[in-house]
Structure formats: structure tokens, C-alpha cells
């Protein structure tokens, strides 16, 4: 495997709210290799966004990193000042979100917004240089350079997301964090945005960390998948293996619960409800919904059982049929 | 057909487009959005019809027209032989209560202060189908049926004391309590946790099986549609572009937009057709292109597609509106980008 670019160790990110402490990320270890596409999947509230954003040192109040570290190219982000983090973000780590309108200024043309970021981070030395880079970035993502003078509202949702990607890649970052980048888009447009990102990964060696609740999408595009449940990564491994022969019962049940257009298997919901992250269940957090659960699952945190390409946190993961 | 529950004929729903003050001062003409622009289909008893298509293609508007929530500019909706636009007074009320709705956001469609059981019972009182105690008994039964047990406990809970999936069950119980013949469900699982969606679909399926209701399932996710639908209507910019048995339409579509839709849907299945390439972004319903509305994005478009509105054509049970359709099995052979 290639060199590690992001290394998450024992990471805990908690939100201190009036109704209690939300353990959004509660002891996560992950190593992400340069140039790979990692996707974090899981149900709503499992901590996917919190984990992904903490990989760029971004933790929103009332959240705090209460333990562990995030090494980006050897530098511990949890130890950097706000200013140092800001410089690193943008320049070396780009980010796109589900709703690009949230960070595109409605009153300025998309080209000038990209050009400004390019200047600010010192990627270009003159305004005309910056504008040229902005136009190039737009062309790369399939927005004609002539649209650089358009305002965000003059673009379609898919085009706005392309502009957001252009803004991120104009700075030529090593890593792109993409939090549900296509959730608001139609599948036909989604397919083209994903193809675009895939091309950037291949051609530029861009590392991509994507968050989605769509496990089929994760299976299609990723090199490796992290499955989150209630603040923990419960399974980690190659996309092919995680989807094809999951080790964790949660992963298996999650796959079985979503309809797949091309296989006529019956879908079944996972029994019970996702846990309240303020009061996660004892032991294995999935035990109240798990058909395999035994007494031990209630009382002890399951060990991390290794597979050739990753691991799963389950007492049964090592046995044949653990994921059945 | 005489046995059909619902017949929709050449339905059109237009909305005026918002004009800025400047545009009004300059006397710019009103523009209209042709949200639904000539839609026809029939729905049988116990049939589940999925309406799929791009955002803005008119799915919700079609559902609202059937529910009587928006007024069509032309066309007819016949429910069990009764023209919904013409029915008056008692007849209108009797017909209306045989059609129920389930919406995407159960939080918005429920009263936050009222116990959910009372909200399930409410339609019975509104339509004077039962007295108070009878309504309560029936609501308990319905809560039981949709899996909110023990019903006597759930009955008194408020919406905020339920999870998203449980709230959607309440909304479905409320829709079913009047024993409707038709349920219009608009994106009923989009806001539900992925791991719980199947159970909501199963609930609609059992309503069809056990209570004999017909369902119009509006969804942007054709994989979800395939779980419970018999037939599918694929919409594009206000029109149905392909209609037929869902298995046939998915596996062997004729219309290029259907091909793009099914091959762009993420899947982990090994057996799947190659991606059907389309250009451009999603269409603008205020400015639909002339001729076939899909032609600017279509890799198979012919010269005449720019001018001629495609007539309908039929092929082994499915109907499509396209001048240069895919042939049988064409989906699996693929198209050069
Ligand atoms: N700013 C915040 N303040 C308080 N709690 C928060 C905040 N952000 C997230 N949380 C809580 O932390 C937990 C994890 O949230 P997070 O957004 O990381 O989950 P997610 O897996 O991305 O969910 P979704 O799929 O809904 O986006 C949730 O319980 C959420 O309510
Ligand atoms: N009340 C309204 N006034 C003006 N325009 C409207 C109104 N309701 C819908 N429209 C427009 O009509 C078109 C069809 O909208 P509709 O909500 O029916 O689409 P949809 O297929 O349900 O889309 P989505 O998948 O995004 O829910 C859109 O262009 C929409 O903006
Ligand atoms: Mg999130
Ligand atoms: Mg809609």
C-alpha cells in the first residue's frame, strides 16, 4: 500500500449540548493512503460528517476533540493553531458539502470567488494568473470557462456542485473531503459528478474521503470503505470485500436493507432503531439490534478482528458466517 | 377501462413563474412553468404505480392534482368513474375520503401537540365515519397494524417522542384508517434512515395485499420503486416518457432517458448494464426545449427530434414517446458516448 497521508488514532469528538454529551466519534483509528478513495458509510447520526471534517481539523462548536490525534502527512492537526489550520485547509485539503450554496457567495461571480481563493493561498501571484487558473479549474470540471462570470443562482444544482469542486481543486490539494457531495442531485447528474471525481483521483493522484449513506454508491466508487455505527468504525476494508463478504453483522444487514435495482433480493429493515448517541448501548453498540448478540456483546467492547484487508469489531467476525 | 380505479387523461398543471419587481415594472410577460403537461395513465385496483423522474419533472404536482391540492388547467381525473373536477357537495366528499396521502416529512404533516393516536383517529371524525370511542378503538387497532405496539402506550405519545420511522408509521396509519381505495405516497421513505426504509415499503405493500388499496408511489429512486411497484411512469419535464410494467421498463427500456436513469442508479450487483451516457444538466421546466424535451441531452437524438414532439408507441406492454428508441436488449449492449 502507498504511503499514509491521514492517520487517525483513538479519535474522540464529543458535542457538549444542553441535553447531554453526544459522543459523535468515540475511538476511531484509520489510515488513509495517498491517492485512494475512502468512503465512510452509515446511518444518519452515526458520526460520518464529524469524523470526515475532523480529518481536516474542522470541529464545529459545541464539539471538541477530547482524545486521540489526526496526523496529516505527519503533522498532528489537533495541535495546530487556527491560523495554521486555515492555511493547510484549502491549500492541501479541500472540502465540498452537500449544499454548495452554503459557501458560494450569491453576490459574486463564481470565477471571482475561485480566483480570490487562488490568490489568497498564494497559488497564483497576479490577478490575471488567478483568473486563468479559475477558468482552467472550471473547464476541468465541465463548466465552460465562459460561465466564470455567472452568479451561483444562474447555475443548476449540478453546475454549482461542479463549481464547488473547481474551487477545491484549483488549489491543487492532496486530499478532497466530500461530505454527501451528490445527495442533493439527481442520479444522472450524480453519476457524472462521481465520474469527474474519479478522473481527478486517477489523473492527479487526489486522495478522496467521501461521506454517504448510500452503500451502493460507496461500493461502486471506493477503494476502501469505513462503516460507522454510533460513533465507531465497526468495519474497515476494501470496498469489494466489505460489500461482497462483510464481517460485521451490521454491515451485512445494512446491505440487505437497501434495495438494489439489479438484484431482485428481498429487502429487510434492520430491527429496532439507531441508538441515541448521548446514551450509546454498553458493550457492542449494535447489540440491541443484532440477531447474533450474546451476553458478552452486552458487557464487553468487542475486539478488532483482522481480515487480510482490514478488520471488524465483532465477537463473531472471525468465524465463518460471522457476517451471515 | 371499466375496472380501472383511476383514469388520468391529458392532465395539465401550470404555475405562473415569479417575476422580479424590475421585470414587472418593465412589463415583462408572465412566464409559466408547465409542471405537468399532458399526462395520461390508468391505475387498476390493488395496483402499485411508481412515478419516477428527475427533480422538477412534475411528480409531486401530479400527486397533488390527484389529491385535489392543485387545480389542473385542463384534462380529466376520473376516480371510480367520477370526474374529480366536476364532483360537488356530498359526492365530492365521498370520493375525496377514498383517497389518502402520505408525505415525505412526517414531522411537518403531524400536529406536534396532539397525541399521535388522536391524529390517527381524526380523519374518522372529520369524515363522520365513526363516533369518538369507536374512532379511538379503530385507531388503536391501526397503530397495532402498522407495528406501533403496544398501541395503548403509543396512542398517547406526541410526534417528538417518536423516531422518524415511527412518525412515518403514524402518517401511514392515519392514511389507512378511512379505508381508502387509493394512497398517494410522495417520497415516503426519503427522510427515513436507510436501515428502516424497507419496513415502511413493506407496510405499503401489506396495505395493498390485505386491504386492497392502490398506491401511487412517488419517488426519485427507481430502486425503491422496484421493491413494491407493478408499473412505473417515468417522467421528464412534465411528461411521461415511458410507462409500463416496472420489470420490463427497468430491464429493457425503450426511452433513452429511462436508460440513463436506470444505468446511473448506484448498484452493487455484478449483473448490470453499462452506463448510458447523457449530456448536459437537468432540464428547465419553464423553458422546455421544442420537439422532444430530452433531445438536448440525448445521445440518440435525430435531427427531427428537435422539431417533432414524439408520438406514443407501444411494444410488449410498455408505452414510450421517442422517435429513436433503444431496441430490445439495447440497454445491455450499450451506446458510445
Ligand atoms: N454542532 C452540533 N451540535 C450538537 N450535536 C451535533 C452537532 N453536529 C453533530 N451533532 C450530533 O453528533 C452526532 C453525529 O453527527 P454527524 O453529523 O457526524 O452524523 P452523520 O453520520 O454525518 O449524520 P447524517 O447522515 O445525518 O449527516 C449526531 O447525533 C448529531 O446530532
Ligand atoms: N406552487 C408552485 N408554484 C410555482 N411553481 C411550482 C409550484 N409547485 C411546483 N412548481 C414547479 O413545477 C415544477 C415541477 O415541480 P414538482 O415539485 O412537481 O417536481 P418533482 O418531480 O416532484 O420534483 P422533486 O423530485 O424535486 O420533488 C418545478 O419546476 C417546480 O419548481
Ligand atoms: Mg452528515
Ligand atoms: Mg417532489
Amino acid at each position: 500500500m502507498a504511503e499514509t497521508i491521514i492517520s487517525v488514532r483513538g479519535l474522540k469528538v464529543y458535542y457538549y449540548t444542553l441535553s447531554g454529551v453526544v459522543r459523535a466519534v468515540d475511538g476511531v483509528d484509520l489510515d488513509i493512503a495517498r491517492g485512494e478513495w475512502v468512503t465512510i458509510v452509515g446511518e444518519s447520526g452515526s458520526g460520518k460528517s464529524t469524523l470526515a471534517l475532523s480529518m481536516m481539523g474542522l470541529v464545529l462548536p459545541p464539539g471538541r476533540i477530547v482524545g486521540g490525534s489526526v496526523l496529516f502527512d505527519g503533522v498532528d492537526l489537533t495541535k495546530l493553531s487556527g491560523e495554521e489550520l486555515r492555511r493547510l485547509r484549502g491549500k492541501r485539503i479541500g472540502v465540498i458539502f452537500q449544499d454548495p450554496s452554503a459557501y458560494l457567495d450569491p453576490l459574486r461571480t463564481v470565477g471571482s470567488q475561485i480566483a480570490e481563493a487562488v490568490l489568497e493561498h498564494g497559488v497564483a501571484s497576479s490577478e490575471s494568473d488567478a483568473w486563468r487558473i479559475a477558468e482552467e479549474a472550471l473547464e476541468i470540471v465541465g463548466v465552460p470557462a465562459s460561465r466564470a462570470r455567472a452568479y451561483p443562482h444562474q447555475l443548476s444544482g449540478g453546475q454549482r456542485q461542479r463549481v464547488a469542486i473547481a474551487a477545491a481543486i484549483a488549489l491543487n490539494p492532496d486530499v478532497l473531503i466530500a461530505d454527501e457531495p451528490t445527495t442533493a442531485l439527481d442520479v444522472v447528474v450524480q453519476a457524472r459528478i462521481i465520474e469527474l471525481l474519479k478522473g481527478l483521483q486517477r489523473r492527479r493522484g487526489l486522495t478522496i474521503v467521501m461521506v454517504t449513506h448510500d452503500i451502493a454508491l460507496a461500493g461502486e466508487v471506493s477503494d476502501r470503505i469505513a462503516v460507522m455505527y454510533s460513533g465507531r468504525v465497526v468495519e474497515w476494508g476494501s470496498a469489494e470485500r466489505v460489500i461482497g463478504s462483510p464481517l460485521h453483522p451490521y454491515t451485512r444487514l445494512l446491505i440487505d436493507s437497501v434495495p438494489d435495482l439489479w438484484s431482485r433480493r428481498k429487502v429487510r429493515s434492520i430491527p429496532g432503531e439507531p441508538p441515541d448517541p448521548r446514551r450509546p448501548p454498553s458493550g457492542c453498540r449494535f447489540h440491541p439490534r443484532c440477531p447474533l448478540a450474546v451476553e458478552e456483546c452486552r458487557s464487553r467492547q468487542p475486539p478488532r478482528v483482522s481480515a487480510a484487508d482490514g478488520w471488524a469489531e465483532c465477537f463473531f467476525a472471525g468465524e465463518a458466517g460471522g457476517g451471515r | 377501462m371499466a375496472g380501472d380505479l383511476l383514469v388520468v387523461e391529458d392532465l395539465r398543471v401550470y404555475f405562473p413563474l415569479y417575476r422580479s419587481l424590475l421585470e414587472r415594472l418593465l412589463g415583462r410577460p408572465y412566464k409559466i412553468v408547465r409542471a405537468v403537461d399532458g399526462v395520461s395513465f390508468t391505475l387498476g385496483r390493488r395496483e402499485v404505480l411508481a412515478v419516477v423522474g428527475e427533480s422538477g419533472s412534475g411528480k409531486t404536482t401530479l400527486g397533488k392534482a390527484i389529491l385535489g391540492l392543485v387545480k389542473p388547467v385542463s384534462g380529466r381525473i376520473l376516480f371510480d368513474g367520477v370526474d374529480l373536477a366536476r364532483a360537488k357537495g356530498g359526492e365530492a366528499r365521498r370520493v375525496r375520503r377514498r383517497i389518502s396521502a402520505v408525505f415525505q416529512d412526517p414531522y411537518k404533516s403531524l400536529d406536534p401537540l396532539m397525541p399521535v393516536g388522536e391524529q390517527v383517529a381524526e380523519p374518522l371524525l372529520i369524515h363522520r365515519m365513526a363516533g369518538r370511542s369507536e374512532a379511538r378503538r379503530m385507531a388503536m387497532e391501526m397503530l397495532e397494524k402498522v407495528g406501533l405496539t403496544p398501541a395503548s402506550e403509543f396512542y398517547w405519545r406526541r410526534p417528538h417522542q417518536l423516531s422518524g420511522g415511527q412518525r412515518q408509521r403514524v402518517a401511514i396509519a392515519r392514511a389507512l384508517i378511512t379505508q381508502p381505495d387509493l394512497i398517494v405516497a410522495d417520497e415516503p421513505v426519503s427522510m427515513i434512515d436507510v436501515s428502516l426504509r424497507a419496513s415502511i415499503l413493506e407496510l405499503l405493500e401489506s396495505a395493498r395485499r390485505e386491504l386492497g388499496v392502490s398506491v401511487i408511489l412517488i419517488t426519485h429512486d427507481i430502486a425503491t420503486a422496484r421493491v413494491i411497484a407493478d408499473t412505473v411512469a417515468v417522467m421528464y419535464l412534465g411528461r411521461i416518457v415511458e410507462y409500463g410494467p416496472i420489470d420490463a421498463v427497468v430491464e429493457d427500456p425503450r426511452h433513452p432517458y429511462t436508460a440513463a436513469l436506470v444505468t446511473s442508479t448506484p448498484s452493487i450487483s455484478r449483473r448490470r448494464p453499462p452506463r448510458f451516457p447523457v449530456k448536459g444538466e437537468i432540464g428547465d421546466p419553464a423553458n422546455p426545449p421544442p420537439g422532444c424535451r430530452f433531445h438536448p441531452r440525448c445521445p440518440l437524438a435525430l435531427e427531427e427530434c428537435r422539431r417533432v414532439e414524439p408520438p406514443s408507441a407501444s411494444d410488449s406492454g410498455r408505452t414510450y414517446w421517442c422517435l429513436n428508441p433503444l431496441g430490445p436488449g439495447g440497454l445491455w449492449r450499450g451506446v458510445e458516448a
Side-chain angles (χ1 to χ4, degrees):
Chain A
M1 180 126 299
E3 135 206 33
T4 297
I5 185 155
I6 296 177
S7 177
V8 176
R9 283 286 168 275
L11 187 70
K12 294 186 177 184
V13 184
Y14 293 179
Y15 293 98
Y16 291 84
T17 72
L18 291 177
S19 58
V21 179
V22 179
R23 305 186 198 177
V25 172
D26 204 13
V28 165
D29 302 291
L30 281 184
D31 281 325
I32 293 171
R34 190 183 284 279
E36 74 170 333
W37 183 318
V38 167
T39 302
I40 305 169
V41 299
E43 285 167 279
S44 183
S46 57
K48 306 181 294 295
S49 297
T50 305
L51 174 59
L53 295 180
S54 69
M55 288 184 195
M56 56 189 293
L58 191 62
V59 178
L60 299 170
R64 277 214 315 267
I65 294 180
V66 298
S69 60
V70 179
L71 298 183
F72 177 82
D73 224 0
V75 180
D76 189 349
L77 298 188
T78 64
K79 304 242 152 61
L80 294 189
S81 72
E83 183 46 41
E84 288 167 316
L85 273 176
R86 252 190 305 282
R87 240 177 293 138
L88 195 74
R89 278 184 223 137
K91 184 82 182 69
R92 300 203 55 198
I93 315 177
V95 63
I96 54 177
F97 298 99
Q98 176 173 338
D99 180 10
S101 338
Y103 51 97
L104 289 176
D105 183 345
L107 298 178
R108 293 173 47 221
T109 65
V110 295
S112 66
Q113 296 185 50
I114 301 175
E116 185 188 271
V118 165
L119 267 180
E120 218 171 76
H121 284 93
V123 176
S125 47
S126 71
E127 240 163 79
S128 63
D129 245 9
W131 189 262
R132 186 183 49 74
I133 291 175
E135 284 186 338
E136 270 172 23
L138 286 171
E139 289 276 357
I140 289 170
V141 301
V143 177
S146 60
R147 302 300 278 158
R149 292 180 197 283
Y151 291 89
H153 76 267
Q154 295 171 320
L155 303 174
S156 71
Q159 281 177 322
R160 277 199 291 270
Q161 196 56 288
R162 284 168 196 267
V163 168
I165 296 170
I169 63 160
L171 303 172
N172 206 8
D174 302 285
V175 178
L176 181 69
I177 310 255
D179 189 354
E180 311 249 13
T182 57
T183 304
L185 304 175
D186 277 293
V187 285
V188 175
V189 180
Q190 162 171 288
R192 300 183 67 211
I193 297 279
I194 293 292
E195 245 161 56
L196 164 67
L197 291 175
K198 202 79 204 160
L200 290 169
Q201 182 206 359
R202 289 218 186 92
R203 285 198 309 277
R204 297 194 170 189
L206 184 67
T207 309
I208 296 180
V209 179
M210 182 172 82
V211 168
T212 179
H213 58 267
D214 185 342
I215 194 154
L217 178 62
E220 264 186 7
V221 302
S222 330
D223 299 304
R224 290 196 286 179
I225 291 178
V227 181
M228 276 196 96
Y229 191 79
S230 190
R232 294 193 67 93
V233 171
V234 295
E235 178 152 14
W236 166 242
S238 77
E240 211 182 313
R241 205 272 305 148
V242 169
I243 300 289
S245 36
L247 294 171
H248 200 287
Y250 174 63
T251 312
R252 153 72 52 197
L253 292 171
L254 185 65
I255 292 169
D256 287 349
S257 74
V258 290
D260 193 287
L261 188 59
W262 301 107
S263 71
R264 305 301 323 275
R265 59 179 164 69
K266 211 160 159 39
V267 289
R268 278 173 297 130
S269 281
I270 304 181
E273 302 273 344
D276 179 346
R278 282 161 304 192
R279 281 170 236 95
S282 59
C284 169
R285 292 174 186 198
F286 187 56
H287 86 253
R289 301 172 77 186
C290 183
L292 302 181
V294 295
E295 191 44 46
E296 199 173 20
C297 305
R298 273 177 267 274
S299 50
R300 278 183 45 213
Q301 164 67 34
R304 214 166 265 170
V305 178
S306 300
D309 62 313
W311 41 260
E313 290 186 342
C314 173
F315 289 108
F316 298 102
E319 298 164 25
R324 282 276 115 205
Chain B
M1 240 190 292
D4 287 325
L5 179 67
L6 185 76
V7 179
V8 173
E9 286 174 355
D10 201 28
L11 190 73
R12 287 166 207 270
V13 183
Y14 298 170
F15 296 109
L17 200 64
Y18 173 81
R19 288 182 307 171
S20 67
L21 185 61
L22 181 68
E23 285 169 318
R24 268 179 276 172
L25 290 173
L26 292 174
R28 294 266 164 78
Y30 267 111
K31 269 181 112 179
I32 51 167
V33 181
R34 297 161 181 251
V36 172
D37 200 19
V39 162
S40 309
F41 65 90
T42 59
L43 177 72
R45 286 171 204 279
R46 292 174 177 266
E47 182 177 336
V48 178
L49 166 72
V51 178
V52 302
E54 210 163 54
S55 179
S57 59
K59 307 180 294 292
T60 293
T61 306
L62 173 62
K64 283 186 173 168
I66 293 165
L67 290 165
L69 300 175
V70 295
K71 222 170 120 57
V73 295
S74 69
R76 285 207 305 173
I77 304 173
L78 298 175
F79 181 83
D80 211 2
V82 178
D83 186 335
L84 290 185
R86 302 222 166 152
K88 298 246 151 48
E91 187 186 38
R93 274 198 303 279
R94 271 194 302 281
V95 174
R96 284 272 159 240
R97 74 168 178 235
R98 293 170 60 196
I99 309 177
S100 292
V102 175
F103 295 109
Q104 173 172 353
D105 187 350
Y107 213 77
K108 276 197 203 135
S109 54
L110 295 175
D111 181 335
L113 299 176
M114 204 197 271
V116 293
E118 302 274 282
Q119 302 194 52
V120 172
E122 191 176 52
L124 291 173
L125 303 174
I126 292 173
H127 294 300
R128 299 191 192 165
M129 295 170 76
R132 207 155 265 289
S133 62
E134 172 72 356
R136 187 164 291 176
R137 193 190 55 73
M138 287 169 72
M140 289 276 183
E141 242 176 67
M142 194 49 80
L143 286 175
E144 199 89 30
K145 239 186 219 131
V146 299
L148 294 174
T149 49
S152 53
E153 193 242 314
F154 273 100
Y155 191 98
W156 297 106
R157 290 217 203 160
R158 321 274 148 149
H160 73 265
Q161 294 168 310
L162 301 180
S163 70
Q166 290 170 335
R167 284 196 286 265
Q168 198 57 295
R169 284 166 191 271
V170 170
I172 291 175
R174 186 178 151 98
L176 286 174
I177 191 108
T178 49
Q179 297 186 299
D181 296 298
L182 171 63
I183 291 188
V184 177
D186 191 350
E187 306 275 6
V189 298
S190 316
M191 292 187 58
I192 309 286
D193 260 314
V194 279
S195 72
L196 304 177
R197 288 180 184 175
S199 64
I200 299 294
L201 295 172
E202 166 59 26
L203 216 71
L204 290 171
E205 169 62 32
S206 68
R208 175 250 291 271
R209 211 173 41 235
E210 287 157 29
L211 310 172
V213 296
S214 304
V215 179
I216 294 180
L217 173 68
I218 295 169
T219 173
H220 62 275
D221 179 17
I222 194 165
T224 293
R226 202 175 181 190
V227 175
I228 63 166
D230 309 298
T231 37
V232 65
V234 181
M235 289 189 73
Y236 189 81
L237 289 187
R239 299 252 165 102
I240 293 178
V241 295
E242 185 155 10
Y243 173 86
I246 192 162
D247 288 340
V249 169
V250 167
E251 297 272 346
D252 195 18
R254 294 294 175 266
H255 200 284
Y257 175 68
T258 315
L261 179 66
V262 298
T263 60
S264 299
T265 299
S267 162
I268 51 178
S269 177
R270 290 225 166 78
R271 187 195 72 93
R272 57 174 308 186
R275 174 148 307 146
F276 186 89
V278 297
K279 300 171 278 193
E281 302 287 338
I282 103 175
D284 175 3
N287 260 320
C292 168
R293 292 174 179 202
F294 188 58
H295 87 254
R297 298 172 70 188
C298 183
L300 303 182
L302 308 170
E303 181 51 36
E304 57 193 314
C305 299
R306 303 178 188 205
R307 292 175 284 108
V308 183
E309 292 204 5
S312 74
S314 293
D315 182 356
S316 19
R318 58 177 99 53
T319 309
Y320 57 90
W321 286 258
C322 176
L323 293 171
N324 190 22
L326 286 82
L331 183 75
W332 298 82
R333 287 193 293 274
V335 175
E336 287 302 307

